[in-house]
Amino acid sequence: MPEKKDKKTANQKIEEKLFLKRKSSWLGYTPAQEKAVFDFCDGYKKFMAECKTERLCVRFIEDSLKKAGFVDIGRAVKIRKNDRVYKKIKNKVIIACIAGSDPASFRLVGSHVDSPRLDLKPSPLYESSELALMQSHYYGGIKKYHWVNVPLSVHGVVFTKSGRQVDVHIGEKDADPKFIIPDLLPHLAQEQMKKEAPKVIEGEDLNIVAGHIPVKDDDIKEKVKFSLLKYLNDAYGIIEEDFNCAELEFVPAVKPADIGFDRGLVGAYGQDDRVCVYTSLRALLAVKNPAHAGLALFVDKEETGSYGDTGAESFMLYNFAGEFAAKSGLQVDPAAMLEKSKSVSADVTGAMDPTFQSVNDPQNVSYLGRGVSIEKYGGARGKSGTHDAHAEYMQYLRAMADRNGIPWQTGENGKIDLGGGGTIAMLLSRYGMDCVDAGPCLLGMHSTCEVASKADIYSAYLLYRAFFED
Ligand code: MN
Ligand code: MN
């Protein structure tokens, strides 16, 4: 055996200094760090099992904030240094803030609590072929064929005619019934299989099986629908018209799980963007006395374009800044306060998929395990419709990540003429504040079970924490 040379040549030393190298975070972990990663992700999986909808996320966040001493800003008379306040908006958005020692500008991390799912149509219920079914209208960008043959659970609210709110949560417990959209059997799918993928299952085909046993009464025409409505009325006091005043969301009844023999990955529904929700929440809760006001923004409606009263398009952040400034006794215009803030749009991006490598430029894509992805811009085809972070701000974040030993990477979401994807970065940056996208990369994004690296989840947490503390 020739002796191994441990001395590097002069050029090898130069190469080491000059070349960009990104490697798996796992290679650099001590056993203690690796344990911290696994422990953190155990908490994350519990959160993901519990928080399948935006309302459930907001409930979880509010509970966590209250336990950590945050108070409703509506009840706060005066906000002092390091006070902890939050504002909940319509049970779908929550804004949490630690005033810090200089509350005149924010360090803001914004994520979204909504994920693609199947909502019900306003009048969903019908009977056909000895089944009672519910018509859905999908929410967000999905490959519709993913959502067939997958056991579903349902979460949401219904209002009775008298105005009573009924909370519905069925399908997460082992003993609970589930719901399903059966696909056509392959034996009879010759025509279906000739269709283009978006039409293999169309929007109007996403009909959810909800009941089967008919009432034994010849005078009733729709016997299965009758049984189902009778059940719903007995159990919840609701009638068919109440579906007009409801938000019932069907989501995969998939439990978060470790993926792979080595358990290095997490598979779960809704990691876009709840991985950033959990990591930024944990980061805010870990911060003690920040220099600037640390603000975690958890918004709704990102998957449908951020419009609406609970979307990032709305004035809720501006309104919060106004209330926060007034109660902090700051003589400052909320717009000016937001303008001099710094922000991270905490959202996921696509990971290099070993089976579908051709959609990415291998040199400009995020890889699982290489750390949180800090993405300068998200748009494609000439950077259309994107926020493009300044080099100055990229440098600020790089220096912060390096100072804190946080693994990070960068990339684009797909090839130039293919890819792109929206986040709330544009809506944060419109105030004039610095902003950049940063979050873990995922495989199978927007599917019923998305995959993330535990290393990247932890690295996102570390980045958001360092940012709040900076
Ligand atoms: Mn997202
Ligand atoms: Mn998304």
Side-chain angles (χ1 to χ4, degrees), residues 2-10 12-13 16:
E3 220 171 82
K4 204 191 163 200
K5 267 202 285 180
D6 60 332
K7 227 169 177 289
K8 290 187 178 124
T9 67
Q12 278 176 319
K13 282 180 193 161
E16 195 169 277

Side-chain angles (χ1 to χ4, degrees), residues 82 84 98-102 107 284 287-294 468-470:
N82 292 317
R84 300 170 159 222
I98 303 178
S101 40
D102 170 21
R107 288 285 182 279
L284 186 74
V287 171
K288 291 285 173 281
N289 301 310
H292 304 274
F468 283 133
E469 283 170 344
D470 194 62

Side-chain angles (χ1 to χ4, degrees), residues 377-386 412-422:
Y377 52 86
R381 290 170 289 272
K383 298 190 175 183
S384 73
T386 187
E412 296 184 324
N413 193 17
K415 277 184 175 165
I416 294 170
D417 292 335
L418 265 185

Side-chain angles (χ1 to χ4, degrees), residues 214-406:
V215 64
K216 293 187 182 84
D217 185 342
D218 286 340
D219 295 333
I220 300 297
K221 207 169 133 234
E222 295 181 292
K223 295 182 176 59
V224 187
K225 178 174 167 178
F226 178 95
S227 292
L228 178 55
L229 274 171
K230 178 78 169 47
Y231 170 80
L232 291 173
N233 191 260
D234 290 345
Y236 300 105
I238 62 179
I239 60 173
E240 189 175 12
E241 190 183 306
D242 297 339
F243 283 105
N244 294 179
C245 304
E247 284 177 352
L248 292 173
E249 304 176 10
F250 285 77
V251 296
V254 175
K255 283 203 175 86
D258 291 339
I259 301 286
F261 290 108
D262 59 11
R263 298 176 177 266
L265 305 158
V266 174
Y269 158 71
Q271 298 201 71
D272 175 6
D273 186 30
R274 293 178 191 135
V275 65
C276 296
V277 169
Y278 183 76
T279 47
S280 62
L281 174 66
R282 284 285 306 266
L284 186 74
L285 296 179
V287 171
K288 291 285 173 281
N289 301 310
H292 304 274
L295 189 151
L297 169 69
F298 306 97
V299 295
D300 181 30
K301 299 272 189 279
E302 195 277 341
E303 295 295 356
T304 51
S306 293
Y307 303 109
D309 54 354
T310 55
E313 259 287 327
S314 79
F315 286 97
M316 63 188 154
L317 182 59
Y318 180 84
N319 295 342
F320 178 86
E323 193 173 353
F324 178 82
K327 291 191 170 176
S328 301
L330 299 168
Q331 305 298 317
V332 58
D333 182 346
M337 197 176 161
L338 288 166
E339 189 179 357
K340 66 173 185 168
S341 297
K342 290 190 191 311
S343 65
V344 170
S345 161
D347 209 340
V348 297
T349 186
M352 182 57 133
D353 186 319
T355 308
F356 302 103
Q357 297 197 24
S358 65
V359 299
N360 287 302
D361 164 8
Q363 194 169 311
N364 285 286
V365 60
S366 299
Y367 289 81
L368 287 170
R370 292 189 185 173
V372 58
S373 303
I374 304 177
E375 235 165 51
K376 193 172 182 298
Y377 52 86
R381 290 170 289 272
K383 298 190 175 183
S384 73
T386 187
H387 168 65
D388 192 345
H390 305 287
E392 288 85 343
Y393 197 49
M394 288 299 289
Q395 168 56 20
Y396 162 79
L397 279 163
R398 168 170 71 172
M400 195 185 70
D402 288 352
R403 227 172 23 245
N404 292 282
I406 301 165

